[in-house]
Amino acid sequence: MSGFQQWWQTLVSREKMVVAALAIIVILLAFQMMILKPLYQGRDNAQNSVDKQAELLQWMQQRGALAKQLKRSASPSSQANGQSISQRINSSAKRAKLEINRFQTVGDNSVQVWLDNAEFSKLLLWLETMQKRQGIQIESIAIGETSKSGLVSVRATLITD
C-alpha cells in the first residue's frame, strides 16, 4: 500500500469525512481560481472593450455628420467666378508666394503640381487655403525633405469636387 492509503486507513470515519469535505472545497476553489475567474475576467474585459468601441463609433458618427454639415455649408468663393482649377491653383500659389515648378492637368478636375524648395509653413497654409476657400482637395501628396532646413519638395495631385 502507498503512504496515502496507509494514512487514510488510520483515520477515523469523522476525520475521513472532514478530509473529504476539505478536499472537495480545495478542488472547487482551485477550479474557480484557475478556470472560472479567468473566464469571467476575459468576459468583463471584452465587454469593456466593446463599450469603449461603441462610444468611439458614436463619437465618430457624430463628427462625421458634423463634417458633412460643414462641407455642405462651406462655399468656395473662387469657384463661383468661373475660374478653372488650374487658374485657381496658380493664383493662390502666387498669393502664398510659392513657386510651382511643374504643372500637369489630368482631366477637367484634377491637376498634378510639383514644388521644389517650398517653405513648409507656407505650403501648409496654402494647402489649407486651397481646401477651405478654393474648394480644391488633396487627392495625394508626397513631401520630401531638401538639404535646406525648413524647405521641402512636394508632388501633389489636387482635385475639385
Coordinates of all heavy atoms in Angstrom, one line a residue, residues 15 25 27 38 45 52-53 63 88 99 112 136-137 143 148 160:
E15 N -12.9 11.9 10.7 CA -11.8 12.6 10.1 C -11.8 12.4 8.6 O -11.4 13.3 7.9 CB -10.5 12.0 10.7 CG -10.3 12.4 12.2 CD -9.0 11.7 12.8 OE1 -8.6 10.7 12.3 OE2 -8.5 12.3 13.7
I25 N -13.6 21.1 -1.2 CA -13.6 22.5 -1.1 C -12.3 23.0 -1.8 O -12.4 24.0 -2.6 CB -13.6 23.0 0.3 CG1 -15.0 22.8 0.9 CG2 -13.3 24.5 0.4 CD1 -15.1 23.1 2.4
I27 N -10.6 21.5 -4.2 CA -10.8 21.3 -5.6 C -11.7 22.3 -6.2 O -11.4 22.9 -7.3 CB -11.3 19.9 -5.9 CG1 -10.2 18.8 -5.6 CG2 -11.8 19.7 -7.3 CD1 -10.7 17.4 -5.5
P38 N -10.6 33.4 -14.6 CA -10.1 33.9 -15.9 C -11.1 34.1 -17.0 O -11.1 35.0 -17.7 CB -9.0 32.9 -16.3 CG -8.6 32.3 -15.1 CD -9.8 32.2 -14.2
N45 N -13.4 42.0 -19.6 CA -12.5 42.8 -20.4 C -13.1 43.0 -21.8 O -13.0 44.1 -22.4 CB -11.1 42.2 -20.5 CG -10.4 42.2 -19.2 OD1 -10.7 43.0 -18.3 ND2 -9.3 41.4 -19.1
K52 N -16.2 50.6 -25.0 CA -15.3 51.7 -25.5 C -15.4 51.8 -27.0 O -15.4 53.0 -27.5 CB -13.9 51.4 -25.1 CG -13.6 51.6 -23.6 CD -12.2 51.3 -23.2 CE -12.0 51.4 -21.7 NZ -10.6 51.1 -21.4
Q53 N -15.4 50.7 -27.7 CA -15.5 50.8 -29.2 C -16.9 51.4 -29.6 O -17.0 52.1 -30.6 CB -15.4 49.4 -29.8 CG -14.0 48.8 -29.6 CD -12.9 49.7 -30.4 OE1 -13.2 50.2 -31.4 NE2 -11.8 49.8 -29.8
R63 N -19.1 63.2 -35.3 CA -18.1 64.0 -36.0 C -18.3 63.9 -37.5 O -18.1 64.9 -38.2 CB -16.7 63.7 -35.6 CG -16.4 63.9 -34.1 CD -16.7 65.4 -33.8 NE -16.4 65.6 -32.4 CZ -17.3 65.8 -31.4 NH1 -18.6 65.7 -31.7 NH2 -17.0 66.0 -30.2
R88 N -7.1 78.7 -60.5 CA -7.3 78.9 -59.1 C -6.0 78.5 -58.4 O -5.5 79.1 -57.4 CB -8.5 78.1 -58.5 CG -9.8 78.7 -58.9 CD -10.9 78.0 -58.3 NE -11.2 76.8 -59.0 CZ -11.9 75.8 -58.6 NH1 -12.4 75.8 -57.4 NH2 -12.2 74.8 -59.4
E99 N 6.3 78.9 -55.6 CA 6.6 78.8 -57.0 C 6.3 77.3 -57.4 O 7.0 76.4 -56.9 CB 8.1 79.1 -57.3 CG 8.4 79.0 -58.7 CD 9.9 79.4 -59.0 OE1 10.5 80.0 -58.2 OE2 10.4 78.9 -60.1
Q112 N -1.8 67.9 -61.3 CA -0.6 67.5 -60.5 C 0.3 68.7 -60.5 O 0.5 69.3 -61.6 CB 0.1 66.3 -61.2 CG -0.7 65.0 -61.0 CD 0.1 63.8 -61.6 OE1 0.9 64.0 -62.5 NE2 -0.2 62.6 -61.1
I136 N -10.7 73.0 -53.4 CA -9.8 72.1 -54.1 C -9.2 71.2 -53.0 O -8.7 71.6 -52.0 CB -8.6 72.8 -54.8 CG1 -9.2 73.7 -55.9 CG2 -7.6 71.8 -55.3 CD1 -8.2 74.6 -56.6
Q137 N -9.4 69.9 -53.2 CA -8.9 68.9 -52.2 C -7.6 68.2 -52.6 O -7.3 68.2 -53.8 CB -10.0 67.8 -52.1 CG -11.4 68.3 -51.8 CD -11.5 68.9 -50.4 OE1 -10.9 68.5 -49.5 NE2 -12.2 70.0 -50.3
I143 N 5.7 64.5 -49.8 CA 6.5 65.6 -49.3 C 7.9 65.0 -49.0 O 8.0 64.1 -48.2 CB 5.9 66.3 -48.1 CG1 4.5 66.9 -48.5 CG2 6.8 67.4 -47.6 CD1 3.8 67.5 -47.3
K148 N 18.1 72.0 -47.4 CA 18.0 73.3 -46.6 C 16.9 73.1 -45.6 O 15.8 72.6 -45.8 CB 17.6 74.4 -47.6 CG 18.7 74.8 -48.6 CD 18.2 75.9 -49.5 CE 19.3 76.1 -50.6 NZ 18.8 77.1 -51.5
T160 N -11.0 68.9 -57.7 CA -12.2 69.6 -57.2 C -13.3 68.6 -57.2 O -13.3 67.6 -57.8 CB -12.6 70.7 -58.2 OG1 -12.8 70.2 -59.5 CG2 -11.5 71.8 -58.3

